[in-house]
Amino acid sequence: MARNAHPELTQERIIKAATELFTSRGYDKTSMQDIIDATAGLSKGAVYHHFRSKEDLFDAVANRLMKTMSEATDKTQTQTEQDTALEQLQSLFSPERARKRLEAADLMFSKFNPKANPKMIGMEFIALVDERDDFVDLFNQGNQDGSLHVDHVEQTAEIFRLLTNMWLLPFFRRGTQTELRTRAACFFSIMRGLGIPLQDQGFSDLLASFGTNAKGNNKEKTESEGSR
């Protein structure tokens, strides 16, 4: 049998097929045979060569999706030492930086059905709560440079991660343009109440562009999107 010269491409093909099925149907209602059929040409042996079980394949898909979600609030190297913590946080919600992350996440989650994926949501929740990330350090920095006034740093970091990675974004919970714009306004109000005076500098309009229309289907672009 000829050796596969590009195993990473085969693996990506399997993950892509599994992602579409897991996110739309859910873990329990997707079988390995369903995934094999969705690869359009790969044999059962080829799929099992890369993933020994449905559980292994689900872990690969979940890790890919979680990485995509976490990148929605990932810090990049564009900040300088002169930037305050608030300025670094504010840049995360600038339309210029947020757009690419939202578009990438939307491609991954376009068929995501939250009610069919409690396992995936549970894994994401546990990961977000358990991991201590750079936001703890950033909030401490902000308290020192005077740009933030956070009383409970670790707990606020947990809230920040949960809201920005799960509640705020329109993938675990869809919404109309108006609902998403209101959700963004609520998020900024919560942050200000926690001592993080973020300002909405166009993020709510960007988020709303990923919303559904009044009937819950088809994305509508905001007026600002259409005028460009």
Side-chain angles (χ1 to χ4, degrees), residues 1-173:
M1 180 182 295
R3 178 173 294 181
N4 186 353
H6 302 286
E8 69 282 357
L9 296 180
T10 300
Q11 188 175 47
E12 182 64 26
R13 184 174 167 185
I14 298 168
I15 291 177
K16 182 178 179 181
T19 297
E20 292 183 356
L21 289 172
F22 282 144
T23 55
S24 60
R25 297 184 184 180
Y27 177 81
D28 292 333
K29 294 184 179 181
T30 299
S31 68
M32 281 296 283
Q33 188 59 53
D34 291 332
I35 296 169
I36 293 168
D37 293 342
T39 60
L42 290 181
S43 68
K44 184 175 181 179
V47 174
Y48 276 99
H49 173 73
H50 291 278
F51 300 97
R52 294 177 298 176
S53 66
K54 187 174 78 165
E55 182 74 23
D56 286 345
L57 185 48
F58 178 83
D59 288 342
V61 170
N63 289 335
R64 175 76 62 83
L65 295 176
M66 290 176 191
K67 181 180 179 181
T68 301
M69 295 303 294
S70 65
E71 287 174 351
T73 53
D74 187 34
K75 293 198 300 178
T76 68
Q77 302 301 315
T78 58
Q79 291 86 23
T80 67
E81 294 181 357
Q82 288 73 36
D83 289 334
T84 66
L86 178 59
E87 289 171 336
Q88 294 180 52
L89 287 168
Q90 187 71 63
S91 70
L92 293 176
F93 297 93
S94 68
E96 294 77 13
R97 291 189 60 190
R99 181 180 302 281
K100 291 182 179 180
R101 295 192 294 273
L102 282 167
E103 288 176 346
D106 188 48
L107 289 175
M108 295 289 290
F109 283 82
S110 60
K111 297 183 180 180
F112 188 73
N113 181 353
K115 293 182 179 180
N117 286 281
K119 182 175 181 179
M120 190 177 296
I121 292 176
M123 290 173 65
E124 172 73 350
F125 178 86
I126 292 172
L128 290 171
V129 171
D130 286 350
E131 291 182 4
R132 181 187 184 281
D133 62 22
D134 290 339
F135 289 111
V136 170
D137 297 329
L138 191 59
F139 292 168
N140 280 324
Q141 177 189 328
N143 284 341
Q144 294 175 358
D145 67 32
S147 63
L148 306 179
H149 303 282
V150 179
D151 291 329
H152 308 289
V153 171
E154 291 192 7
Q155 291 74 20
T156 300
E158 287 183 4
I159 293 171
F160 185 86
R161 291 196 303 272
L162 288 170
L163 292 183
T164 55
N165 284 284
M166 297 187 73
W167 179 78
L168 181 62
L169 301 183
F171 309 115
F172 287 130
R173 185 174 178 80

